[in-house]
């Protein structure tokens, strides 16, 4: 394997992606998302504690901000991965550029690694740049200060966002490797992303309600019995929902990041590291799930691509 | 450089689909000598592109093997791609980039860099006549310009062997003319050029050697001159004769008596004579001695289409020369 070829394809893919309008659109969307999350958090806190000096808002809206951000990211990140992955190979096939490249002295695995690293850098770039811009904007407009723990959590958010997005990229890449047509791979990739992030949670809720319907009261029960029945129903609903949702990547990503949001504030850097390590150890299952979600389609893509007949 | 730049033995490619098995290339053994222009001729779907793909390791053979420039097509395909300039069929470029940027990528993949790469890019763009378009995006290029850019890509590494797959498909006549000129120039420089095409009239005349392919098989291969001689020997000679006056039927019998005559057709003053051997002199003498004045006396020159049709109908032998 020749590292020079991988570097070349990586930098070419990165510069190609950066020029695309969709990358610019993503940065703008991310900035809006960040700023909106920040604004929503400050508004909520201000409404709760009227008359609170702005300087004190620094810490209190942090959790709200990160929670808002997490919900938005969980929805958006799959589509970022899909956006850079759906035409990674099928687009090259369709345009005839894959044929042009592969008739040169380059192995297919070098090409695919280069494409993957190019996409990884682009996704990291989009998330990093938009976070920096958004934090700058938020600090300037809302006077929100940056604390070390917030910065640390944002860095971790960024790293796991990249991992989550890349796992979706890997799925789209696999479809793109199998497909010869961009429209087909786009359609399938978006359908999968929509099914898993939006449709599956709805179906889970419907299913849970069907198998665990709310209790029906005749009117003869005592208030405490009613309360107990409702509490029991809610607990069972929650248990069923969680166990079913745990199969979904969105759930694992949110679980991992919610653990990080829970890290105490105002800790020394040493203590921050130690608590982060504890959270990550406690989220090994979620982490493994996300890593495997990226690795399995990636390995499958490699295995198919190196043996694929070019039509 | 080996005497045979390409040599394959029983090269076979079978595509397995759901419920179907397509033999794209069937036990093909070809030999391409150094320094020739080799035409791989055949209709669409004959297996030409698959054969070329196998030669550069883009497609793995199901059976058989071969060598290109002395390198094994399966085990050393990267070495082949380092040394062979390839213009694949349906080549594409990054449309939003200039030819220079497209060529820079190709050059770097071939280990070129810096000033050397810059000079090579300028040189090949000049060779293919795209110098003045070097700063335009490829998206604005015509089909002919793209094919020339494809040729520039193939030439960037200054290869001794060029494989051109359907290089003139979809190009206008003017573009074909330019392309032919380019191939002639490259051939004069001593490069071996393999052209796969179904357009016999456009590129056939450039070839010094040909292989005719149909349904995955090579029907005939060898030097063009030898193939034509073989064709004439097997297919026979045809003479178109026009007399100054209407001939009587007796002349038909007289011509047949010359021996080796296959067929004589007389229609008024026009005669068509087909013979197994060259009877040109005997026929001319006989007709003039009989007192006929000849308005026309020509031997039909076979075209590449005639040769192709003859062999593709299964009338010819497998190898010539």
């Amino acid at each position: 394997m020749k590292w020079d070829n991988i570097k070349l394809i990586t930098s070419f893919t990165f510069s190609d992606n950066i020029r695309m309008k969709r990358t610019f659109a993503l940065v703008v969307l991310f900035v809006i998302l960040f700023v909106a999350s920040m604004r929503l958090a400050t508004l909520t806190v201000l409404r709760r504690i009227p008359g609170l000096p702005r300087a004190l808002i620094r810490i209190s809206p942090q959790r709200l901000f990160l929670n808002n951000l997490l919900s938005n990211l969980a929805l958006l990140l799959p589509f970022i991965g899909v956006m850079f992955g759906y035409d990674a190979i099928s687009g090259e096939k369709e345009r005839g550029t894959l044929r042009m490249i592969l008739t040169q002295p380059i192995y297919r695995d070098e090409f695919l690694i280069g494409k993957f690293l190019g996409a990884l850098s682009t996704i990291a770039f989009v998330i990093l740049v938009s976070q920096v811009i958004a934090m700058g904007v938020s600090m300037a407009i809302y006077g929100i200060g940056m604390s070390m723990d917030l910065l640390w959590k944002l860095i971790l958010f960024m790293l796991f966002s990249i991992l989550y997005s890349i796992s979706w990229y890997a799925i789209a890449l696999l479809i793109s490797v199998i497909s010869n047509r961009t429209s087909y791979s786009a359609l399938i990739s978006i359908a999968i992303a929509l099914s898993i992030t939006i449709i599956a949670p709805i179906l889970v809720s419907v299913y849970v309600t069907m198998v665990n319907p709310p209790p029906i009261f005749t009117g003869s029960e005592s208030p405490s019995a009613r309360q107990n029945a409702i509490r029991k129903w809610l607990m069972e609903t929650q248990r069923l929902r969680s166990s079913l949702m745990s199969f979904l990547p969105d759930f694992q990503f949110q679980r991992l990041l919610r653990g990080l949001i829970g890290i105490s504030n105002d800790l020394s850097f040493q203590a921050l590291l130690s608590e982060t390590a504890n959270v990550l150890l406690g989220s090994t299952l979620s982490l493994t799930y996300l890593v495997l979600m990226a690795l399995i389609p990636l390995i499958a893509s490699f295995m198919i691509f190196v043996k694929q007949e070019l039509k | 450089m080996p005497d045979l730049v390409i040599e394959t033995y029983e090269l076979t490619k079978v595509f397995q689909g759901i419920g179907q098995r397509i033999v794209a290339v069937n036990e093909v053994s070809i030999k391409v000598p150094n320094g020739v222009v080799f035409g791989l001729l055949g209709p669409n779907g004959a297996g030409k592109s698959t054969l070329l793909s196998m030669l550069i390791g883009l497609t793995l053979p199901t059976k058989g093997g071969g060598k290109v420039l002395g390198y094994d097509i399966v085990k050393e395909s990267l070495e082949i791609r380092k040394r062979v300039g390839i213009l694949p069929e349906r080549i594409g470029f990054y449309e939003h980039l200039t030819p220079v940027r497209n060529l820079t990528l190709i050059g770097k993949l071939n280990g070129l860099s810096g000033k050397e790469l810059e000079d090579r890019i300028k040189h090949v763009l000049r060779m293919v006549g795209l110098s003045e378009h070097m700063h335009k995006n490829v998206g604005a290029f015509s089909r002919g310009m793209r094919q020339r850019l494809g040729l520039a890509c193939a030439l960037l590494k200054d290869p001794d062997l060029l494989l051109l797959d359907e290089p003139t498909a979809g190009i206008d006549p003017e573009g074909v003319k330019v392309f032919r000129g380019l191939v002639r120039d490259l051939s004069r420089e001593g490069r071996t050029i393999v052209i796969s095409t179904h357009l016999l009239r456009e590129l056939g005349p450039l070839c010094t050697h040909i292989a005719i392919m149909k349904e995955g098989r090579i029907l005939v291969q060898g030097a063009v001159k030898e193939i034509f001689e073989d064709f004439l020997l097997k297919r026979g000679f045809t003479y178109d004769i026009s007399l100054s006056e209407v001939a009587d039927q007796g002349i038909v019998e007289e011509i047949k008596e010359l021996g080796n005559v296959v067929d004589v057709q007389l229609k008024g003053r026009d005669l068509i004579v087909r013979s197994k051997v060259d009877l040109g002199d005997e026929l001319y003498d006989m007709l003039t001695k009989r007192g006929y004045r000849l308005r026309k006396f020509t031997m039909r020159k076979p075209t590449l289409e005639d040769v192709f049709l003859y062999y593709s109908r299964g009338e010819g032998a497998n190898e010539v020369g």
Side-chain angles (χ1 to χ4, degrees):
Chain A
M1 200 176 293
K2 211 172 154 193
W3 180 239
D4 283 348
N5 283 345
I6 296 175
K7 268 200 306 194
L8 181 65
I9 299 297
T10 302
S11 63
F12 187 80
T13 306
F14 178 72
S15 63
D16 209 29
N17 285 343
I18 291 298
R19 281 161 208 260
M20 288 193 297
K21 284 175 189 159
R22 66 177 108 154
T23 308
F24 178 72
L26 273 177
V27 171
V28 172
L29 191 66
F30 255 85
V31 169
I32 294 170
L33 195 78
F34 274 78
V35 175
S37 301
M38 188 66 90
R39 179 66 181 147
L40 199 65
T42 55
L43 277 177
T44 311
V45 171
L46 283 170
R47 209 178 298 127
R48 275 184 192 171
I49 316 163
L52 190 77
R54 271 185 173 259
L56 291 180
I57 300 170
R58 187 167 80 86
I59 307 299
S60 47
Q62 190 193 97
R63 187 177 276 255
L64 263 168
F65 160 62
L66 290 173
N67 272 320
N68 287 340
L69 187 62
L70 175 57
S71 311
N72 291 329
L73 281 177
L75 203 66
L76 199 68
L77 289 171
F79 294 96
I80 293 173
V82 165
M83 211 174 267
F84 288 111
Y86 80 90
D87 65 344
I89 300 297
S90 60
E92 302 266 3
K93 284 182 200 169
E94 211 169 64
R95 289 190 298 266
T97 44
L98 185 64
R99 199 162 268 274
M100 175 182 77
I101 301 274
L102 294 184
T103 52
Q104 307 307 322
I106 179 171
Y107 286 118
R108 292 187 187 197
D109 47 5
E110 292 170 352
F111 179 73
L112 204 61
I113 292 172
K115 289 294 281 186
F116 171 72
L117 293 178
L120 179 68
S121 339
T122 314
I123 289 171
F125 174 85
V126 167
I127 295 174
L128 176 72
V129 167
S130 48
Q131 243 185 40
V132 169
I133 296 173
M135 285 315 293
V137 170
S138 300
M139 284 157 83
I141 298 176
Y142 309 124
I144 293 165
M146 176 62 80
S147 61
M148 190 178 70
D149 47 80
L150 178 60
L151 181 67
W152 177 244
K153 284 175 189 175
L154 283 175
I155 290 171
L156 291 173
F157 255 58
M158 198 182 82
L159 289 176
F160 291 111
S161 296
I162 293 168
L163 172 66
Y164 186 51
S165 201
I166 273 297
S167 49
W168 281 99
Y169 170 84
I171 292 170
L173 179 72
L174 175 62
I175 295 160
S176 174
V177 164
I178 295 167
S179 165
N180 287 323
R181 292 176 63 184
T182 310
S183 53
Y184 178 78
S185 57
L187 202 69
I188 301 285
S189 303
I190 291 170
I192 291 176
L194 278 176
S195 307
I196 293 180
T197 56
I198 296 170
I199 299 170
I202 296 170
L203 290 180
V204 165
S205 299
V206 171
Y207 176 75
V208 168
T209 317
M210 277 166 64
V211 296
N212 183 40
I216 299 165
F217 301 112
T218 54
S220 59
E221 303 88 352
S222 66
S224 61
R226 278 188 193 187
Q227 266 183 356
N228 277 341
I230 289 171
R231 197 179 301 120
K232 204 175 156 193
W233 173 73
L234 281 173
M235 279 169 69
E236 183 58 12
T237 303
Q238 188 59 30
R239 191 191 63 76
L240 270 174
R241 201 171 179 279
S242 289
S243 55
L244 285 173
M245 289 288 280
S246 65
F247 290 103
L248 301 177
D250 170 65
F251 179 84
Q252 297 295 348
F253 173 68
Q254 293 211 38
R255 184 146 83 177
L256 176 67
L257 261 62
R258 281 194 204 289
L260 295 172
I261 293 171
I263 293 175
S264 320
N265 297 330
D266 296 329
L267 293 173
S268 68
F269 188 63
Q270 205 75 20
L272 254 183
L273 283 182
S274 149
E275 204 169 326
T276 306
N278 284 336
V279 169
L280 291 182
L281 276 174
S283 312
T284 317
L285 187 71
S286 302
L287 205 53
T288 313
Y289 183 107
L290 293 178
V291 170
L292 285 179
M293 188 182 151
L295 274 182
I296 292 169
L298 265 183
I299 293 168
S301 302
F302 272 84
M303 288 169 72
I304 295 168
F305 186 63
V306 292
K307 290 184 179 173
Q308 198 167 41
E309 299 288 356
L310 279 183
K311 295 275 163 65
Chain B
M1 179 77 67
D3 290 340
L4 289 176
V5 289
I6 298 174
E7 190 176 11
T8 69
Y9 48 91
E10 294 182 1
L11 204 55
T12 303
K13 181 69 194 180
V14 179
F15 291 107
Q16 294 280 6
I18 301 163
Q20 60 174 356
R21 185 177 179 272
I22 299 162
V23 184
V25 175
N26 198 350
E27 298 191 339
V28 164
S29 300
I30 56 163
K31 291 178 176 126
V32 178
N34 186 15
V36 304
V37 178
F38 190 96
L40 191 56
L41 313 175
N44 288 327
K48 306 182 299 290
S49 296
T50 308
L51 176 59
L52 291 188
S53 284
M54 282 194 281
L55 293 180
I56 54 169
L58 217 58
T59 301
L60 288 176
T62 311
K63 199 182 93 181
K67 286 190 170 182
V68 173
L69 298 170
Y71 294 99
D72 189 277
I73 59 168
V74 176
K75 294 173 189 158
E76 297 166 303
S77 64
L78 198 77
E79 295 303 319
I80 294 170
R81 294 201 294 270
K82 273 182 193 167
R83 290 164 178 83
V84 179
I86 303 148
L87 172 58
E89 190 185 9
R90 298 190 303 270
I91 189 174
F93 298 96
Y94 294 100
E95 309 252 316
H96 58 290
L97 300 179
T98 62
V100 175
R101 284 225 44 195
N102 274 285
L103 286 168
T104 303
L105 175 68
I106 299 300
K108 284 183 176 171
L109 286 172
N110 283 283
L112 298 168
S113 60
K115 183 83 172 67
E116 187 194 5
L117 176 59
E118 262 178 52
D119 291 345
R120 274 303 300 165
I121 289 175
K122 279 181 192 161
H123 178 67
V124 293
L125 284 176
R126 204 178 312 121
M127 273 177 92
V128 301
L130 288 176
S131 290
E132 57 197 71
H133 305 285
M134 64 197 290
H135 300 299
K136 282 182 194 165
N137 282 353
V138 178
F141 278 22
S142 67
R143 179 77 198 252
M145 287 162 85
R146 279 163 204 255
Q147 285 300 88
R148 280 190 275 156
L149 181 57
L151 191 59
C153 282
L155 289 168
L156 200 59
K157 63 187 97 172
D158 197 14
D160 291 323
L161 171 62
L162 278 161
L163 302 182
L164 313 177
D165 193 2
E166 298 285 0
T168 55
I171 304 184
D172 57 66
E174 190 57 36
V176 173
K177 200 176 153 193
V178 172
F179 209 89
R180 272 203 299 248
L182 275 169
V183 172
R184 275 200 193 97
D185 292 345
L186 293 167
S187 169
R188 276 189 213 113
E189 289 171 10
R191 298 175 210 261
T192 309
I193 303 168
V194 176
I195 305 170
S196 136
T197 185
H198 66 283
L199 304 166
L200 305 181
R201 276 185 202 171
E202 285 182 358
L203 297 175
L206 290 171
C207 303
T208 58
H209 289 64
I210 56 169
I212 294 176
M213 226 179 152
K214 192 185 172 192
E215 290 167 1
R217 286 186 179 277
I218 296 283
L219 304 173
V220 64
Q221 65 173 310
V224 171
K225 200 176 158 223
E226 288 166 4
I227 288 178
F228 272 75
E229 282 170 6
D230 183 73
F231 170 77
L232 283 172
L233 281 173
K234 286 175 181 158
R235 181 74 175 82
F237 296 76
T238 305
Y239 303 92
D240 290 311
I241 304 160
S242 182
L243 306 170
S244 56
E245 58 205 79
V246 177
D248 57 69
Q249 198 60 32
I251 194 139
V252 173
E253 294 309 315
E254 267 188 72
I255 291 171
K256 282 182 179 171
E257 280 167 17
L258 286 172
N260 287 314
V261 174
V262 177
D263 183 37
V264 182
Q265 291 173 31
L266 175 66
K267 279 184 188 169
R269 290 186 294 191
D270 296 329
L271 266 170
I272 299 171
V273 180
R274 281 182 59 215
S275 63
K276 286 180 187 167
V277 295
D278 187 357
L279 286 178
D281 290 345
E282 290 93 326
L283 207 52
Y284 184 86
D285 288 347
M286 194 268 277
L287 290 169
T288 47
K289 275 179 192 164
R290 285 275 315 247
Y292 288 109
R293 282 192 297 129
L294 307 179
R295 291 166 63 200
K296 182 179 146 193
F297 188 101
T298 54
M299 186 178 82
R300 273 187 207 171
K301 279 190 179 172
T303 62
L304 208 50
E305 280 96 333
D306 296 328
V307 174
F308 175 76
L309 288 173
Y310 173 71
Y311 285 103
S312 64
R313 283 176 191 148
E315 294 170 48
N318 275 339
E319 195 161 334
V320 175

